[in-house]
Amino acid sequence: MSHAPAIQGDFKTWFENAKWVKSETWPQVAAEVLAFVRECLAKPHDLRDAIARFTASPLSKGFNVGMLTPILNALAPDDLPLVNAKVTRVVSYFSGVELEATLADYVTTARSWRTLVDSQPQLQDPRLGVSAGDAFDHFCHWLVARSASPSPAVAARRRLGTGRSRPGGAPSCGTTGASAASRRSAATCSAT
């Protein structure tokens, strides 16, 4: 099970209300998603064909990177990182590579994500109680949600890179009111 569900509530109703799936097409949609997941698990280091095939299908409508990568990450966390809009914003900024939260950019984002996460040994701290990838995901969500800066990654870079006070009045990592998981994973921001 993923700590980062893309939809809270009834999945089928959500897709049907968005007019992306008709109730009678769910068996075909489910088969298409399952085929994509199986193809990704079979070749986790060579996803381009699986992504191209899936995104070309009319049955893929609504199944974006934030919807599919929690599934992939739950099944192969060491090879297939969880990527969504918030993670992409932070990875894009720190890597200096312009990325979008799309399946088309997933391979590039995953590569930059891996380099970034592997370069942060504090994400491996067992006291966090989660994997390095999950800690980074929590950090990204905390950073984007808590920062008063127009670009939360800019505020984090200033904090992480210089150790200066938090610009824009962003709360400290251990702020009261943040969830325990957010405080644990966000603790990495004050490690410098």
Side-chain angles (χ1 to χ4, degrees), residues 21-188:
V21 177
K22 294 178 181 173
S23 61
E24 64 271 11
T25 61
W26 275 112
Q28 293 91 348
V29 170
E32 190 73 26
V33 171
L34 182 59
F36 173 72
V37 170
R38 285 181 172 161
E39 196 172 345
C40 289
L41 294 175
K43 295 182 177 181
H45 303 290
D46 185 18
L47 301 175
R48 293 194 192 280
D49 289 342
I51 290 170
R53 186 196 59 73
F54 182 77
T55 56
S57 169
L59 298 172
S60 70
K61 185 149 178 98
F63 288 94
N64 57 33
V65 71
M67 185 79 58
L68 293 168
T69 62
I71 298 166
L72 298 175
N73 179 256
L75 296 171
D78 293 334
D79 293 321
L80 303 169
L82 193 150
V83 172
N84 52 45
K86 291 177 182 176
V87 170
T88 301
R89 280 179 70 184
V90 174
V91 169
S92 183
Y93 181 79
F94 283 112
S95 69
V97 177
E98 189 70 29
L99 300 166
E100 292 185 29
T102 63
L103 281 174
D105 268 2
Y106 181 66
V107 172
T108 304
T109 303
R111 190 177 306 118
S112 296
W113 177 96
R114 172 62 56 206
T115 299
L116 185 59
V117 169
D118 288 350
S119 73
Q120 300 299 315
Q122 64 270 34
L123 291 173
Q124 307 288 337
D125 190 330
R127 293 175 295 173
L128 295 175
V130 296
S131 70
D134 287 353
F136 184 70
D137 180 67
H138 290 299
F139 172 74
C140 292
H141 282 267
W142 170 84
L143 178 63
V144 172
R146 295 291 181 167
S147 179
S149 169
S151 174
V154 171
R157 190 171 191 191
R158 287 182 192 141
R159 280 197 308 279
L160 290 173
T162 66
R164 293 184 185 157
S165 63
R166 288 160 184 82
S172 66
C173 292
T175 187
T176 306
S179 72
S182 294
R183 285 193 304 273
R184 279 194 308 272
S185 62
T188 61

